[in-house]
């Protein structure tokens, strides 16, 4: 049994699958995708309902679904649907954004126990700025304030809306909290990461962009953000970088004095490429995540361990990063030989292999595939020569901790090699 509202939603999805997404419906029928995924696909393709491009959108979505054997994270699935819809009907996306922007509003709703809810709709960038301002004021209190962070955020929102005084409630005379004066913006810097190709920024192309933590946006919204007086544009490939004969660009992979640390270009590239944390289901923006070496970097002998390259780095949320570093989880990253897509696999302590998400921003921004990164000559030569992990020169007995870490890294690498051989057999 369900109410009229839920019945209407079910009927809407059923009609969409029958008339607009018949191939997606077939994937649901054979158990290739879940009902939750269907709800997301139907919602993100409503713009092409009844349009001539609808069958092409259906076919392209199914082609992406068929490339992946594992489950899709909902945020990755949304990114995939949005980029396909924009490619086939950009005008519909632009018009939908204009209508949504015109419909922005503010409202309150009374709730139980003498409380109420305050809500507003606004552009994604304004919402991120507002969130940062609330967080900055809410965290200006001292550590002795008895309120939870959520309570302080609620009080900070009221203060910013009304211009009232925001106070630390610790009650101590020696409170060291630095609360800004009413009507004064908290001292904080709000950074909104927007990625797009150069042609879209200049207006020469009409490709979609991406707001970190939000998703795919239209080319018009990209240019609106670029036109802001506080916008800072930083290309991954610096101006004046020579183009290789094959149309690619080569940039340094590491910082000059530290082969463990990625260069600024590589750090930005990996975050842009991944978009989100690569941990399945983790919605952490890649710009808020940690960059992790998939194959562990050997600090004692850098030429022998996993090096700092684009293929050996990915973005992981802090929890997933710690689970990999200190737990028994193992991950691997590789290019699919059939599709050229970058893929991840995660191996549980029990040996279960979980495929990572198939979607990253290489599909939205194909120009990323034209960027190459070069490791220092000495490290590349040592790696290709199969440098030993044993120290050269006088023997220094490893500590117990060093031996344990080395054994853990060796075990993980053996597991990766076993899984790589398994993939080779499956592909042959």
């Amino acid at each position: 049994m369900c109410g009229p509202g839920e019945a209407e939603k079910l009927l809407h999805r059923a009609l969409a699958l029958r008339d607009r997404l018949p191939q997606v419906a077939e994937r649901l029928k054979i158990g290739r995708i879940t009902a939750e995924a269907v709800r997301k696909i139907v919602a993100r393709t409503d713009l092409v309902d009844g349009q001539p491009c609808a069958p092409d959108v259906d076919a392209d979505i199914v082609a992406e679904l068929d490339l992946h054997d594992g489950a899709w994270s909902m945020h990755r699935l949304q990114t995939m649907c949005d980029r396909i819809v924009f490619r086939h009907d950009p005008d519909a996306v632009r018009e939908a954004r204009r209508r949504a922007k015109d419909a922005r509003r503010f409202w309150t709703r009374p709730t139980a126990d003498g409380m109420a809810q305050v809500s507003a709709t606004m552009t994604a960038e304004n919402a991120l700025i507002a969130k940062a301002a609330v967080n900055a004021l809410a965290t200006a209190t001292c550590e002795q304030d008895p309120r939870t962070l959520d309570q302080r955020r609620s009080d900070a929102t009221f203060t910013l809306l009304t211009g009232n005084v925001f106070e630390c409630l610790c009650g101590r005379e020696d409170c060291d909290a630095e609360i800004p004066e009413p009507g004064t913006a908290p001292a904080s810097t709000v950074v909104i990461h927007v990625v797009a190709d150069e042609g879209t920024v200049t207006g020469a192309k009409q490709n979609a962009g991406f707001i970190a933590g939000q998703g795919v946006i239209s080319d018009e919204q990209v240019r609106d953000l670029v036109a802001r007086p506080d916008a800072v544009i930083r290309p991954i490939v610096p101006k004046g970088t020579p183009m290789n004969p094959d149309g690619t660009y080569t940039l340094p992979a590491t910082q000059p004095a530290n082969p463990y640390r990625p260069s600024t270009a590589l750090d930005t590239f990996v975050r842009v490429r991944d978009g989100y944390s690569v941990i399945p289901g983790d919605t952490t923006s890649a710009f808020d995540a940690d960059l992790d070496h998939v194959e562990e970097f050997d600090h004692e002998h850098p030429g022998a361990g996993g090096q700092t390259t684009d293929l050996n780095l990915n973005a992981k949320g802090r929890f997933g990063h710690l689970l990999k570093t200190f737990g028994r989880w193992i991950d691997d990253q590789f290019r699919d030989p059939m599709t050229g897509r970058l893929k991840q696999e995660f191996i549980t302590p029990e040996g279960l292999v979980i495929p990572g998400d198939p979607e990253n921003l290489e599909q939205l921004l194909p120009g990323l595939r034209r960027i190459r990164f070069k490791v220092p000559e000495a490290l590349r030569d040592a790696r290709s020569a199969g440098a030993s992990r044993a120290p050269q020169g006088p023997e220094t007995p490893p500590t117990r901790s060093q031996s344990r870490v080395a054994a853990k890294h060796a075990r993980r690498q053996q597991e990766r090699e076993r899984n790589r051989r398994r993939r080779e057999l499956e592909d042959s």
Side-chain angles (χ1 to χ4, degrees):
M1 296 290 291
C2 64
E6 185 62 28
E8 185 176 356
K9 292 178 183 177
L10 290 172
L11 183 59
H12 170 74
R13 285 195 289 270
L15 291 174
L17 289 172
R18 186 193 69 178
D19 301 333
R20 185 170 79 236
L21 302 165
Q23 295 187 60
V24 171
E26 183 64 25
R27 298 319 184 269
L28 175 64
K29 178 181 177 181
I30 64 178
R32 191 66 184 262
I33 55 175
T34 65
E36 182 183 11
V38 166
R39 287 193 292 270
K40 178 68 71 174
I41 294 171
V42 169
R44 306 311 294 188
T45 59
D46 272 342
L47 285 177
V48 299
D49 189 34
Q51 300 300 315
C53 65
D56 295 328
V57 170
D58 182 32
D60 285 355
I61 290 175
V62 165
E64 293 290 338
L65 295 175
D66 288 349
L67 284 176
H68 184 51
D69 293 329
W72 282 73
S73 296
M74 289 302 102
H75 55 289
R76 300 280 189 174
L77 185 67
Q78 176 176 315
T79 298
M80 181 265 285
C81 292
D82 288 352
R83 69 172 173 82
I84 289 175
V85 168
F86 184 86
R87 186 172 72 244
H88 284 284
D89 198 348
D91 288 333
V93 176
R94 298 185 191 111
E95 181 58 31
R97 193 239 171 181
R98 295 189 194 104
R99 291 196 303 267
K101 190 175 179 181
D102 290 342
R104 63 190 184 276
R105 64 193 184 100
F106 171 91
W107 71 99
T108 62
R109 181 176 66 87
T111 58
D113 305 315
M115 302 296 287
Q117 181 177 348
V118 178
S119 304
T121 55
M122 61 189 74
T123 61
E125 59 272 19
N126 285 349
L128 291 172
I129 293 171
K131 177 182 177 181
V134 169
N135 285 337
L137 187 55
T139 55
T141 62
C142 76
E143 295 181 355
Q144 304 302 318
D145 190 297
R147 294 170 293 180
T148 66
L149 179 57
D150 280 337
Q151 290 170 343
R152 282 181 277 133
R153 283 171 174 161
S154 175
D155 295 345
T157 302
F158 174 76
T159 297
L160 291 172
L161 288 173
T162 62
N164 286 345
V165 177
F166 183 78
E167 297 178 326
C168 179
L169 301 185
C170 69
R172 298 183 303 131
E173 292 184 0
D174 59 343
C175 176
D176 59 355
E178 297 181 3
I179 308 295
E181 293 294 326
T184 303
S188 64
T189 300
V190 182
V191 179
I192 302 173
H193 295 281
V194 181
V195 296
D197 57 44
E198 184 179 10
T200 301
V201 170
T202 61
K205 295 183 180 179
Q206 299 181 350
N207 298 329
F210 185 87
I211 293 183
Q214 294 290 321
V216 177
I217 59 174
S218 70
D219 55 336
E220 284 187 347
Q221 190 168 359
V222 169
R223 288 188 284 274
D224 287 347
L225 290 167
V226 169
R228 292 177 64 103
D230 54 354
V232 177
I233 301 174
R234 291 177 178 166
I236 297 177
V237 179
K239 297 291 185 182
T241 302
M243 181 187 292
N244 298 324
D246 60 356
T248 63
Y249 295 90
T250 301
L251 304 174
T254 67
Q255 296 182 8
N258 189 346
Y260 174 71
R261 298 292 179 186
S263 65
T264 300
L266 179 56
D267 183 286
T268 303
F269 173 88
V270 173
R271 296 182 191 278
V272 170
R273 179 198 68 195
D274 292 348
Y276 298 95
S277 165
V278 299
I279 304 295
D282 186 354
T283 60
T284 302
S285 166
F287 288 93
D288 297 327
D290 300 336
L291 291 193
D292 177 48
H293 287 74
V294 178
E295 181 185 341
E296 292 78 6
F297 187 88
D298 191 326
H299 290 273
E300 294 295 323
H301 311 287
Q307 294 185 353
T308 304
T309 65
D310 54 315
L311 290 178
N312 196 46
L313 284 179
N314 57 34
K316 292 185 176 74
R318 179 60 55 85
F319 178 78
H321 187 188
L322 293 174
L323 192 64
K324 180 262 179 87
T325 302
F326 299 106
R328 295 183 58 199
W329 284 69
I330 304 169
D331 68 323
D332 198 7
Q333 182 167 270
F334 56 94
R335 288 278 177 193
D336 187 311
M338 301 296 294
T339 65
R341 297 284 184 93
L342 189 68
K343 289 188 173 183
Q344 294 85 28
E345 284 186 347
F346 299 86
I347 302 96
T348 71
E350 297 77 20
L352 177 66
V353 178
I354 301 173
D357 278 302
E359 179 83 7
N360 62 29
L361 296 195
E362 283 185 344
Q363 287 74 57
L364 181 69
L365 305 168
L368 293 173
R369 298 291 295 274
R370 298 173 58 199
I371 302 176
R372 305 285 185 269
F373 290 94
K374 182 180 180 181
V375 299
E377 293 286 348
L379 290 182
R380 189 167 67 253
D381 293 344
R383 184 69 167 175
S384 61
S388 171
R389 292 181 181 270
Q392 304 298 317
E395 284 290 335
T396 302
T399 66
R400 182 177 180 182
S401 176
Q402 290 172 331
S403 298
R404 189 163 56 245
V405 171
K408 179 175 73 172
H409 289 180
R411 177 185 60 81
R412 288 179 170 179
Q413 191 56 26
Q414 290 170 359
E415 182 69 26
R416 292 189 185 100
E417 291 298 334
R418 282 195 295 271
N419 280 281
R420 288 168 187 170
R421 289 194 294 271
R422 169 186 55 78
R423 290 197 301 269
E424 290 173 357
L425 290 173
E426 291 174 351
D427 294 336
S428 61

